[in-house]
Amino acid sequence: MNRNDTRNWQVSINDPTIRVEEAEDIAQCIYTILSTIPGSDPLRPTFGSQVYRYVDAPINKVEPRLVYEAITAIERWEKRVAVTHCRLLTDGPIGRCLEIEATAIAAAAQMIITVKI
């Protein structure tokens, strides 16, 4: 990893004293996309996802819609990955969460991202 390459990095959401790069950067961007309600970013009014609409709904009724909204938002806003699989974990390691499998396009590397919803 070249520390002078400043193309794809950002400050960590969890610790503002460190930066995240590569797969961690992509995972953090996906978290931001899925947790942002469209209209809440005044400079990008369509940025975000409709996932919030289904968070408190009964899982057996909205799981397909929740997965669809997540994949659609990731495909629209995160061009560095191609989603290969997405599923809802009702009892995941951090509670109810989405498990997203994606391939990093530039590196052709597979990654699994878990996002709490």
Side-chain angles (χ1 to χ4, degrees), residues 59-69:
I59 294 300
N60 59 340
K61 297 189 185 281
V62 298
E63 181 176 5
R65 192 72 192 161
L66 186 64
V67 168
Y68 170 80
E69 293 294 348

Side-chain angles (χ1 to χ4, degrees), residues 42-105:
L43 298 178
R44 295 180 294 177
T46 59
F47 178 79
S49 74
Q50 300 292 327
V51 168
Y52 75 95
R53 296 173 61 195
Y54 306 101
V55 171
D56 292 327
I59 294 300
N60 59 340
K61 297 189 185 281
V62 298
E63 181 176 5
R65 192 72 192 161
L66 186 64
V67 168
Y68 170 80
E69 293 294 348
I71 292 171
T72 301
I74 294 166
E75 287 176 347
R76 179 173 185 191
W77 295 107
E78 184 51 76
K79 302 295 186 192
R80 296 176 290 172
V81 297
V83 177
T84 55
H85 186 71
C86 180
R87 69 184 178 130
L88 180 66
L89 302 175
T90 56
D91 193 24
I94 51 178
R96 184 191 285 186
C97 54
L98 285 169
E99 182 180 77
I100 300 143
E101 292 180 24
T103 302
I105 293 171

